[in-house]
């Protein structure tokens, strides 16, 4: 019979030794305080009844040697119950103090929340818990072990009847052993939890699983080039259990609502409009298209073109060509004629379109161009031209370079050359930069139009679908498919 009597300075170390020497299926037969620490008697779960009987026999022999002359049966039973009740309460209080006092450096104060009240109702609850646990073990034994022998259920307290002193003493011992066993099992479970995870460090809550519909929607929106923060916003409130095609159309509708657009012909308002942005994004071509649209509708007498690009050789020749074709005056701002002077000379024109030098953020003349535009005394509108064929970092860099001017909106160019529109749409959504126009070719004045939310989303889906088809034809199938468009 594998029964161990273990001495330790405290209950924590005693429980650790029980687990190491007997194993996780150990059952505490008894425990009590001794000089210098605690004494714990433990046995394997399958040998619990034999150990309990042995412990009971030893207690009876020790009681016979140490007990005073016996009292009458009725008085002996009541006194024994009172004594055992006081002993159990003392042991519970002692165990609670032992757990509340930190045993090792770095451990916070741990309170025993399982033992809060010390009254008869708690003791009866402990007995009932032990009974139900033993019944559960008997009904559902482990698959890899023999079913443990069922421990006899504690008998309900009979009505006070005359009985022998020996029988009363046995009943009291039995109740005491059951109560102590349950108490130690509770303490052991609590201490094991403390050793696994200290109370001072709360356990992280499990991360909720993403529903399958949301995961598929996230992949599709990612394939459009939409940024992660915008994607999370779009799929975050999708209804549970909704069909995938409905969820997809709902996400596209929400994307459409989130895109900021001017929604009307920007040049119809008149005034002086400067087009800024990096080199090669199509500023001059965009100005030519807008000038042609305006001349076809209002004539050329109220329109003028201006360029500030004096850094590149023959940089203003393309704009001069547009002026000759449209019969529109073209002015150049240089070291002899400042931009402010040129614009003041054109105050009589209803619309003035200004072409600026295209430079990146790292070029030395970029700061000069920005200061030139800031120093204008007249009211000046600024539109940032962004190429949809550029990467997200290039778009962000262009925005950060010119944001100090006070941008009134943007123009998305080269939609026909782009493999994804999501990056430009994400920038417009996150920065709340209204989109005024979109361009998708070199034809003047046909390949330009006022930005519309629904049209932008449809173009984004069609562009992603074409990119997907090209990947599939090349043999690199990412396993995506699109269900319709903005609907």
């Amino acid at each position: 019979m594998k029964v161990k009597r273990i001495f330790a300075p405290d209950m924590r170390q005693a429980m650790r030794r029980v687990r190491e020497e007997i194993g996780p299926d150990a059952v505490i037969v008894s425990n009590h305080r001794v000089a210098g620490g605690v004494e714990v008697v433990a046995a394997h779960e399958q040998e619990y009844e034999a150990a309990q009987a042995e412990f009971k026999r030893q207690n009876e022999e020790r009681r016979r040697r140490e007990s005073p002359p016996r009292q009458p049966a009725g008085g002996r039973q009541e006194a024994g119950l009172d004594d055992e009740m006081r002993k159990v309460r003392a042991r519970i209080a002692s165990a609670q103090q032992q757990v509340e006092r930190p045993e090792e450096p770095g451990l916070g104060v741990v309170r025993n929340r399982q033992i809060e009240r010390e009254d008869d109702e708690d003791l009866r609850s402990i007995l009932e818990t032990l009974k139900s646990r033993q019944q559960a073990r008997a009904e559902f034994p482990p698959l890899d072990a023999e079913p443990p022998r069922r421990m006899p259920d504690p008998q309900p307290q009979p009505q006070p009847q005359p009985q022998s002193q020996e029988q009363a003493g046995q009943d009291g011992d039995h109740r005491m052993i059951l109560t102590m066993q349950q108490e130690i099992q509770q303490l052991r479970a609590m201490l094991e939890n403390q050793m696994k995870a200290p109370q001072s460090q709360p356990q992280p809550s499990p991360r909720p699983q993403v529903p399958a519909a949301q995961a598929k929607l996230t992949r599709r929106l990612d394939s459009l080039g939409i940024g992660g923060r915008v994607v999370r916003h779009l799929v975050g409130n999708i209804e549970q259990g909704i069909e995938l095609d409905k969820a997809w159309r709902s996400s596209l509708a929400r994307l459409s609502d989130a895109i900021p657009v001017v929604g009307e012909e920007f040049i119809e308002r008149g005034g002086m409009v400067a087009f800024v942005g990096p080199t090669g994004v199509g500023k001059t071509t965009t100005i030519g298209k807008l000038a042609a649209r305006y001349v076809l509708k209002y004539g050329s007498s109220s329109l003028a073109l201006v360029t500030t690009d004096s850094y590149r050789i023959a940089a203003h020749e393309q704009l001069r060509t547009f002026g000759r074709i449209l019969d529109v005056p073209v002015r150049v701002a240089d070291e002899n004629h400042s931009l402010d002077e040129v614009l003041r000379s054109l105050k009589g024109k209803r619309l003035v379109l200004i072409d600026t030098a295209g430079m990146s953020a790292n070029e030395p003349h970029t700061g000069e161009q920005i200061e030139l535009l800031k120093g204008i005394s007249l009211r000046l509108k600024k539109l940032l031209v962004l190429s949809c064929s550029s990467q997200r970092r290039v778009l962000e860099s262009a925005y950060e370079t010119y944001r100090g001017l006070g941008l009134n909106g943007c123009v998305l160019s080269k939609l026909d050359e782009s493999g994804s529109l999501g990056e430009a749409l994400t920038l417009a959504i996150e920065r709340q930069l209204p989109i005024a126009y979109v361009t998708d070719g070199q034809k003047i004045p046909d390949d330009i139009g006022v930005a519309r939310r629904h049209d932008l989303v449809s173009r984004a889906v069609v562009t992603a679908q074409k990119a997907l088809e090209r990947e599939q034809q090349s043999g690199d199938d990412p396993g995506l498919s699109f269900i319709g468009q903005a609907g």
Side-chain angles (χ1 to χ4, degrees):
M1 181 172 62
K2 190 176 181 181
V3 180
K4 292 281 187 178
R5 187 182 298 273
I6 297 173
F7 297 89
D10 52 72
M11 183 60 67
R12 186 188 187 94
Q13 298 185 33
M15 300 309 301
R16 185 182 292 112
R17 289 188 54 189
V18 167
R19 185 172 56 182
E20 293 174 353
E21 297 182 14
I22 300 179
D25 296 329
V27 177
I28 303 301
V29 180
S30 70
N31 83 303
H32 59 275
R33 302 185 67 84
V34 297
V38 296
E39 177 188 16
V40 175
V41 178
H44 195 275
E45 184 179 24
Q46 297 180 358
E47 299 175 339
Y48 170 74
E49 293 186 1
Q52 186 184 41
E54 178 64 18
F55 178 75
K56 179 177 179 181
R57 186 185 61 78
Q58 293 177 3
N59 284 346
E60 290 177 356
E61 292 180 358
R62 184 166 57 253
R63 185 167 50 253
R64 291 193 186 97
R65 292 194 302 267
E66 299 176 358
S67 62
R70 297 180 178 178
Q71 300 178 358
R76 172 69 174 81
Q77 182 182 9
E78 295 177 359
L81 292 175
D82 293 340
D83 291 342
E84 297 305 331
M85 187 71 70
R86 285 193 296 271
K87 289 179 182 179
V88 171
R89 288 176 176 174
R91 291 181 185 277
I92 294 175
S94 175
Q96 184 175 3
Q97 293 175 0
Q98 186 72 20
V99 174
E100 291 178 353
R101 184 173 61 254
E103 299 292 347
E104 299 177 3
L107 292 178
V109 177
V110 181
R111 299 189 178 276
N112 186 355
R113 295 181 175 85
Q114 296 178 342
I115 304 177
E116 295 288 348
R117 299 170 56 189
E118 301 176 288
D119 52 14
D120 297 342
E121 188 66 28
D122 285 344
L123 296 178
R124 286 193 292 270
S125 175
I126 290 174
L127 292 177
E128 292 297 330
T129 301
L130 178 62
K131 178 180 177 181
S132 61
R133 182 178 298 180
Q134 291 172 343
Q135 290 176 352
R137 288 181 178 178
E139 294 175 0
F140 304 100
L143 297 177
D144 56 349
E146 296 181 0
R149 290 173 292 179
R150 185 172 180 178
M151 185 175 168
D153 296 337
Q155 299 295 328
Q157 293 185 0
Q159 297 296 328
Q161 295 179 0
Q163 55 179 315
S164 64
Q165 296 180 0
E166 182 176 358
Q167 184 178 359
Q170 292 178 356
D171 293 341
D173 290 341
H174 186 61
R175 286 192 297 272
M176 180 188 68
I177 291 173
L178 294 178
T179 303
M180 289 173 56
Q181 179 196 8
Q182 180 64 18
E183 170 196 342
I184 298 303
Q185 288 178 349
Q186 292 174 344
L187 293 176
R188 183 181 73 171
M190 183 185 64
L191 292 175
E192 288 179 351
N193 291 335
Q194 295 297 327
M195 287 185 288
K196 291 179 180 178
Q199 291 286 340
S200 58
Q201 299 180 355
Q203 294 294 325
S205 58
R207 183 175 298 177
Q209 295 182 353
V210 179
Q214 291 189 6
K216 293 180 179 179
L217 287 177
T218 300
R219 290 181 59 198
R220 290 180 178 177
L221 291 170
D222 287 340
S223 68
L224 300 182
I226 305 299
R229 186 166 59 178
V230 178
V231 169
R232 289 191 294 271
H233 174 73
L234 295 176
V235 303
N237 297 326
I238 295 298
E239 299 178 3
Q240 298 295 333
I242 189 173
E243 295 181 1
L244 183 58
D245 58 342
K246 292 183 179 179
W248 171 241
R249 295 178 184 276
S250 175
S251 299
L252 294 181
R254 297 183 64 190
L255 175 61
S256 176
D257 294 338
I259 298 175
V261 295
V262 175
E264 61 180 359
E265 193 79 48
F266 192 82
I267 60 175
E268 292 283 351
R269 305 174 184 178
M272 297 181 177
V273 184
F275 292 79
V276 299
T279 182
V281 295
K283 296 188 298 296
T284 306
T285 304
T286 299
I287 290 176
K289 294 175 181 179
L290 292 176
R293 288 165 65 98
Y294 186 86
V295 168
L296 290 175
K297 189 172 184 179
Y298 298 102
S300 60
S301 60
S302 60
L303 174 66
L305 305 179
V306 176
T307 178
T308 66
D309 191 355
S310 60
Y311 300 96
R312 296 177 300 164
I313 299 176
H316 52 270
E317 288 301 325
Q318 184 180 8
L319 198 65
R320 287 187 181 277
T321 302
F322 288 145
R324 288 194 299 268
I325 295 173
L326 299 175
D327 192 21
V328 172
V330 178
R331 300 288 185 267
V332 179
D334 51 21
E335 62 275 4
N336 299 322
H337 303 87
S338 68
L339 179 61
D340 193 65
E341 293 176 356
V342 172
L343 294 180
R344 284 184 177 277
S345 67
L346 298 173
K347 288 180 62 177
K349 299 293 183 179
R350 183 174 182 271
L351 177 65
V352 178
L353 303 179
I354 306 167
D355 187 17
T356 61
M359 297 181 180
S360 65
N362 299 326
E363 294 188 35
H365 299 297
T366 302
E368 296 179 6
Q369 283 281 295
I370 293 176
E371 292 300 324
L372 179 66
L373 294 173
K374 286 183 177 179
I376 301 301
S377 59
L378 301 176
R379 185 174 183 272
L380 192 65
K381 303 173 187 178
K382 299 97 178 179
L383 290 179
L384 176 63
V385 182
L386 298 171
S387 172
C388 291
S389 61
S390 301
Q391 297 178 350
R392 175 68 184 272
R393 291 183 179 180
V394 177
L395 299 176
E396 290 284 353
S397 177
Y399 174 80
E400 294 298 330
T401 301
Y402 295 98
R403 64 180 297 186
L405 294 175
L407 299 173
N408 300 98
C410 67
V411 177
L412 300 185
S413 64
K414 301 186 179 182
L415 270 68
D416 56 318
E417 301 178 13
S418 174
S420 171
L421 304 186
E423 290 79 4
L425 296 180
T426 300
L427 175 66
I429 293 173
E430 292 182 346
R431 306 298 185 179
Q432 283 300 294
L433 184 64
I435 305 173
Y437 295 100
V438 293
T439 69
D440 56 0
Q442 299 296 322
K443 294 180 180 180
I444 297 176
D446 298 330
D447 294 338
I448 191 170
V450 177
R452 306 292 181 186
R453 291 188 175 95
H454 178 81
D455 182 61
L456 287 170
V457 174
S458 297
R459 284 172 177 259
V461 175
V462 171
T463 302
Q465 183 68 43
K466 290 180 179 178
L468 174 62
E469 292 175 355
R470 288 194 297 267
E471 292 178 358
Q472 291 175 344
Q473 291 175 0
S474 63
D476 185 12
D477 185 3
L480 279 175
S481 61
F482 294 92
I483 306 176
Q485 299 181 12

